[in-house]
Amino acid sequence: MFRRSSTNWGNQMAVDTEEIVEILDKDIISLFYENDIVLDKETYGYILEEKIDIESLRKYIEYLQEREIHIAEKSSLLDVYLPKMREKNFEFEKKETVLDKLVEKEVEETIKSRDIPAKDVDPEIKILKKMETDSEGNFEDFLETFKDRYEKISKIFKERVNMRDFQNINSIKKGENVKVVGLIRKKLNAKTKNVILTIEDFSGFTKVFISRKSSINTNLIFEDEVICVEGKCGGNIIYAQNIEFPDVPLVREVNRSDMDLYSVLISDIHVGSKMFLEKEFLRFLRWLNLKIGDEKQKRTASKIKYLIIAGDVVDGIGIYPNQKKDLKILSIYDQYKKLYELLSLVPDYIQIIISPGNHDAARPVIPQLPIPKEFASELYNIDNVLMVGNPAFFSMHNVKTLVYHGDTIFDIIERIRVPQNDVVSPMIQMFKKRHLGPMYGKKTGMSPEREDYLVIEDIPDLLHTGHVHVNGHTVYRGTTLINSGTWQAQTEYQILRNMIPTPCRVPIFNLKTHKTMITNFG
Ligand code: FE
Ligand code: ZN
């Protein structure tokens, strides 16, 4: 019952409590109860959603008891549960790896067109969001960006049953229980470990006090994001009892292709770098051409309709100090020319979509417009190539796809304090916050725009990122989140920072079933 409704929100438990209790395993409730641990509602929902087994929950309770924590929170649950889940995923990937035991034998027989389903259908691409940047980089434009951010995200809160009755900040009264939606202008971590926010809406601003004793995880609260605060008003300060993020509904209908077709997701090719793994990339291209692989592998390849590239297609020039010594191709034009030569080997019935990254010849701040024609004219001349911006939002065979290079991922990783190869947690945060990079101007440069193109307004079915050079995928509330890794071997920069890339592992997304397979061409 709980899962059937498409308008349920994960933490909107108040309305749904009875239903949950009905379906919730009684053992889970009593387990926490007997151990004197309060189960917070978000965690409650998460345990249900992920169907976390009793054994894992027992370990989690042990973990809390060791630390004398009496409130079960999703963040601490993830600390315990995620590593295990990842192990599970890894086993799954291993099982599903199609080309792991790839034998390099060219198949001589020519495959007739009737054997290639992807050849018999036209690509169905709809651009769902057009980016028009006319910004001249004025401070006023940043105000416009923030205004637009507030408008879009407060609208999302208005759609949430338990949030929609929020008040204007200038109407809250001392002594009352209040609920407001505001953009965080300032986050102050006091020495006492309490946190004080300054939040703002169109009517005014107020301070918000979050006690270190509260169960609110303040690491997950970012400057410049829009949140809903519930608490007691004490004049010009709200004593927060609860913080809500816009998030996405727990359950919703996802969009699918009627046909069994695949979309292949890659990123961070870094053509031009000495570390670009060309031999492996050519092996991938030969597989796309049904030249290598066993019958099953070729059958998969024959259903590939889309190749989506999420940025850093070339290594670029002057992206970091002394980059020259790492470059094999020293001209940006020649780098794009080389990429053109490679991509012209992709079968022409596969629609290629190219979005830029921070190494590309597009502007160095997000949002980015498509790679300009003057640098990559050959790519513009391939009929099956479509150049888009970063981020880009489109549908392919109905599946709503958000492609974003992932420029802000490292920033988010640092804030939420997860390991730097955890590419999945930051993507989940983007969904919770409905924003690809809420904190302006930290590691990632952003351009002031009249519209905030980084808000996740319409919920995609697939989010494809790169940038970290580490593969990862998960499903969050119906949306598949994929980071597509890289084609560049470990660079000196990465060795210094102990970053271990996972090159040549290609996620293949089934547009009908939404299943993801990882194939290894390394
Ligand atoms: Fe990269
Ligand atoms: Zn990058």
Side-chain angles (χ1 to χ4, degrees):
M1 259 155 94
F2 178 61
R3 285 174 177 271
R4 208 180 302 143
S5 157
S6 62
T7 51
N8 271 323
W9 290 79
N11 20 28
Q12 186 195 309
M13 293 303 176
V15 256
D16 298 311
T17 309
E18 273 172 46
E19 283 177 78
I20 291 166
V21 173
E22 246 182 53
I23 60 156
L24 183 69
D25 195 323
K26 285 205 179 69
D27 295 345
I28 295 177
I29 305 175
S30 46
L31 189 65
F32 282 90
Y33 183 74
E34 283 159 14
N35 286 290
D36 271 343
I37 290 170
V38 180
L39 187 56
D40 99 344
K41 47 189 177 178
E42 194 193 9
T43 321
Y44 201 80
Y46 189 73
I47 292 172
L48 286 183
E49 193 187 337
E50 286 292 326
K51 298 196 182 85
I52 299 179
D53 56 289
I54 287 277
E55 192 213 334
S56 302
L57 292 175
R58 280 211 184 95
K59 279 209 184 104
Y60 173 52
I61 287 172
E62 269 171 36
Y63 170 93
L64 294 177
Q65 284 170 335
E66 275 165 23
R67 286 161 184 77
E68 291 180 26
I69 302 170
H70 298 288
I71 296 171
E73 277 184 281
K74 194 177 157 190
S75 55
S76 55
L77 175 63
L78 287 179
D79 284 344
V80 179
Y81 182 63
L82 264 190
K84 194 183 160 196
M85 201 161 77
R86 220 156 277 138
E87 246 168 59
K88 244 167 48 193
N89 275 350
F90 188 66
E91 279 164 28
F92 167 78
E93 278 173 16
K94 264 195 192 152
K95 250 183 270 154
E96 291 284 325
T97 296
V98 180
L99 292 179
D100 243 339
K101 291 183 207 109
L102 184 73
V103 193
E104 281 208 44
K105 53 174 203 265
E106 298 276 347
V107 177
E108 272 158 39
E109 95 263 20
T110 37
I111 292 157
K112 295 180 194 96
S113 89
R114 64 185 156 82
D115 297 321
I116 308 174
K119 203 170 178 175
D120 298 332
V121 284
D122 288 331
E124 283 174 28
I125 292 281
K126 277 187 210 126
I127 301 292
L128 300 175
K129 179 91 201 167
K130 269 227 151 80
M131 190 156 42
E132 277 148 25
T133 108
D134 49 4
S135 151
E136 283 167 29
N138 299 319
F139 184 69
E140 289 85 72
D141 289 324
F142 267 121
L143 295 182
E144 290 297 317
T145 315
F146 285 144
K147 260 192 210 160
D148 187 59
R149 176 179 301 186
Y150 182 84
E151 255 164 31
K152 282 178 176 151
I153 294 182
S154 59
K155 211 172 119 202
I156 296 169
F157 279 115
K158 280 212 178 96
E159 286 159 13
R160 291 187 50 172
V161 176
N162 58 338
M163 295 286 121
R164 60 169 58 133
D165 57 338
F166 63 85
Q167 304 152 262
N168 281 339
I169 287 176
N170 71 354
S171 74
I172 57 173
K173 288 191 185 75
K174 194 171 175 176
E176 283 180 354
N177 286 323
V178 296
K179 191 188 286 180
V180 296
V181 168
L183 188 141
I184 302 174
R185 287 329 276 272
K186 212 159 139 195
K187 181 186 172 191
L188 194 103
N189 296 296
K191 277 202 193 104
T192 52
K193 286 188 178 155
N194 297 320
V195 169
I196 297 158
L197 308 175
T198 307
I199 65 166
E200 185 178 18
D201 67 7
F202 287 123
S203 75
F205 64 90
T206 180
K207 285 202 161 49
V208 175
F209 179 85
I210 306 171
S211 163
R212 71 191 139 101
K213 286 179 195 146
S214 87
S215 63
I216 298 164
N217 182 349
T218 51
N219 290 336
L220 301 179
I221 299 172
F222 299 174
E223 250 169 34
D224 303 330
E225 74 171 322
V226 179
I227 54 167
C228 180
V229 179
E230 288 174 277
K232 195 133 202 146
C233 179
N236 51 10
I237 194 159
I238 298 171
Y239 296 95
Q241 282 148 358
N242 183 30
I243 302 276
E244 292 279 348
F245 299 96
D247 218 322
V248 291
L250 191 55
V251 179
R252 84 195 144 80
E253 218 39 74
V254 295
N255 303 290
R256 299 170 193 279
S257 156
D258 299 332
M259 276 187 72
D260 199 20
L261 293 171
Y262 292 95
S263 185
V264 169
L265 313 177
I266 62 171
S267 65
D268 300 86
I269 315 175
H270 289 269
V271 172
S273 160
K274 281 180 187 161
M275 309 305 279
F276 166 50
L277 296 162
E278 186 171 344
K279 207 180 96 209
E280 288 78 359
F281 196 74
L282 284 169
R283 195 183 293 162
F284 164 64
L285 293 175
R286 278 157 67 212
W287 173 66
L288 290 182
N289 282 283
L290 315 184
K291 297 278 195 216
I292 51 170
D294 63 25
E295 257 322 293
K296 197 180 160 212
Q297 292 157 352
K298 273 190 256 157
R299 217 177 307 132
T300 304
S302 72
K303 292 176 186 169
I304 294 168
K305 190 68 212 168
Y306 303 97
L307 170 63
I308 314 297
I309 312 180
D312 284 2
V313 299
V314 299
D315 206 45
I317 303 285
I319 305 294
Y320 56 88
N322 294 321
Q323 189 189 9
K324 229 176 179 173
K325 66 175 183 355
D326 299 332
L327 289 178
K328 193 173 168 187
I329 304 172
L330 291 166
S331 139
I332 185 87
Y333 300 98
D334 291 345
Q335 290 181 1
Y336 280 111
K337 198 167 179 186
K338 174 79 184 180
L339 178 74
Y340 157 76
E341 282 164 9
L342 291 166
L343 293 184
S344 57
L345 299 174
V346 173
D348 60 5
Y349 58 82
I350 296 179
Q351 174 71 51
I352 304 171
I353 295 180
I354 302 177
S355 169
N358 57 311
H359 279 254
D360 284 296
R363 69 175 182 189
V365 288
I366 51 172
Q368 284 177 307
L369 290 168
I371 299 161
K373 214 171 180 167
E374 52 170 313
F375 293 105
S377 58
E378 287 99 344
L379 288 174
Y380 278 87
N381 288 335
I382 310 182
D383 281 342
N384 54 324
V385 169
L386 178 66
M387 304 291 265
V388 297
N390 169 36
F393 190 42
F394 55 85
S395 68
M396 47 183 171
H397 265 82
N398 291 326
V399 177
K400 288 183 181 175
T401 305
L402 180 58
V403 177
Y404 168 50
H405 180 57
D407 309 67
T408 48
I409 292 180
F410 285 118
D411 252 346
I412 300 176
I413 281 177
E414 204 180 294
R415 270 144 205 274
I416 63 174
R417 301 181 189 183
V418 293
Q420 57 183 357
N421 63 349
D422 180 356
V423 289
V424 163
S425 301
M427 283 196 275
I428 293 175
Q429 287 303 320
M430 289 173 189
F431 267 70
K432 287 185 169 300
K433 296 170 186 307
R434 298 289 288 263
H435 202 282
L436 296 172
M439 53 295 180
Y440 149 75
K442 297 296 181 304
K443 279 190 181 129
T444 313
M446 291 183 194
S447 164
E449 302 292 336
R450 257 158 238 225
E451 193 180 336
D452 189 344
Y453 291 103
L454 302 177
V455 175
I456 304 174
E457 262 185 285
D458 193 359
I459 303 168
D461 304 303
L462 171 65
L463 170 66
H464 172 199
T465 61
H467 192 55
V468 191
H469 295 206
V470 175
N471 283 81
H473 65 92
T474 192
V475 177
Y476 179 68
R477 300 190 173 183
T479 299
T480 303
L481 314 176
I482 298 179
N483 191 299
S484 54
T486 184
W487 292 91
Q488 191 184 34
Q490 195 180 27
T491 60
E492 242 169 74
Y493 177 89
Q494 290 166 333
I495 293 170
L496 282 173
R497 277 157 193 78
N498 199 21
M499 290 156 74
I500 301 157
T502 58
C504 313
R505 294 160 62 88
V506 178
I508 300 163
F509 178 77
N510 187 312
L511 294 164
K512 188 181 180 181
T513 64
H514 286 215
K515 286 231 160 68
T516 306
M517 292 189 291
I518 310 285
T519 61
N520 193 344
F521 293 89

